[in-house]
Amino acid sequence: MRFSQPIDCTLGADCFIEDYVDTNPFEKTSQDHRCGLNTRDGHTGTDFALIDFASVEQGVDVLAAAPGRVFRLRDSMPDDRLQRGVTSQNACGNAVILAHADGYQTTYCHLKRGSINVSIGDTVERGQPIGKVGLSGRTAHPHVHFGIKKTARNSTRSELKRTINARRNQARRSGLTRQSITPQFCA
């Protein structure tokens, strides 16, 4: 599956990538896809940030990165840089989750309250606006947190958790650690 940029901006001009996915699952350190530090520990998406707060008021579209169907959404949290009322349960803020072919899901977090223009069950096309960049949830600057995950079809959450834990334990037993893979990928 191919995904497009999820925000209507020009990288390097009016937006930039602030953080990438943390690709180091073995230790309490972080590492981006280029073996650098442009991430933070446990970060699960890519943050496309706006260069200023005025852009939020003007409105910058968040775009569907691939065709799919609206699976979940939340559009009730205020845009609040002080993050009042934010918990681990709503840190994503106002959000849209799209389900795509082959079990993929994309998540779009920190949208502006009242800007989401799709409903659960709607079909969306690549590049279709689904909301606007905001300041909802756990954020102090305007950006969209974009996450991609592959889900297993016909699996329950507990089955997925057991599978993930079994694979992690197997990797640890076989001696697979960050140090053992670092020379293959990072200089």
Side-chain angles (χ1 to χ4, degrees):
M1 169 141 295
R2 187 176 76 83
F3 298 98
S4 301
Q5 181 175 304
I7 181 173
D8 188 16
C9 67
T10 303
L11 284 173
D14 51 0
C15 67
F16 61 97
I17 295 181
E18 179 184 24
D19 284 317
Y20 290 102
V21 173
D22 178 10
T23 61
N24 182 356
F26 297 109
E27 295 182 12
K28 290 291 183 191
T29 59
S30 56
Q31 176 179 293
D32 67 24
H33 67 286
R34 293 181 179 160
C35 304
L37 300 174
N38 198 16
T39 188
R40 56 188 184 279
D41 196 32
H43 195 242
T44 60
T46 300
D47 290 343
F48 292 82
L50 301 179
I51 60 170
D52 58 32
F53 288 91
S55 299
V56 173
E57 295 309 313
Q58 295 167 2
V60 175
D61 285 333
V62 174
L63 310 171
R69 184 173 302 277
V70 178
F71 179 62
R72 289 189 177 157
L73 62 82
R74 175 176 40 230
D75 194 18
S76 59
M77 293 186 67
D79 294 283
D80 182 4
R81 290 186 349 192
L82 300 178
Q83 304 174 29
R84 291 173 282 225
V86 175
T87 67
S88 61
Q89 299 300 309
N90 62 13
C92 183
N94 299 321
V96 174
I97 299 176
L98 300 179
H100 306 281
D102 298 326
Y104 283 96
Q105 284 185 352
T106 52
T107 302
Y108 309 78
C109 299
H110 310 304
L111 305 185
K112 186 174 185 176
R113 181 166 63 180
S115 74
I116 295 174
N117 56 13
V118 292
S119 299
I120 293 175
D122 286 357
T123 299
V124 297
E125 297 301 320
R126 178 187 314 278
Q128 178 180 332
I130 58 174
K132 302 224 182 262
V133 177
L135 286 161
S136 62
R138 187 165 289 141
T139 183
H141 64 280
H143 74 282
V144 62
H145 170 96
F146 175 65
I148 301 171
K149 73 177 182 178
K150 174 111 170 147
T151 60
R153 292 185 179 183
N154 302 321
S155 294
T156 65
R157 179 174 281 226
S158 60
E159 288 170 337
L160 289 172
K161 194 171 189 176
R162 279 194 301 273
T163 300
I164 290 168
N165 287 335
R167 288 182 182 164
R168 282 183 184 151
N169 289 336
Q170 182 181 17
R172 286 185 189 115
R173 282 192 302 275
S174 68
L176 184 62
T177 65
R178 180 178 176 273
Q179 286 82 13
S180 67
I181 65 172
T182 298
Q184 297 173 6
F185 302 108
C186 301

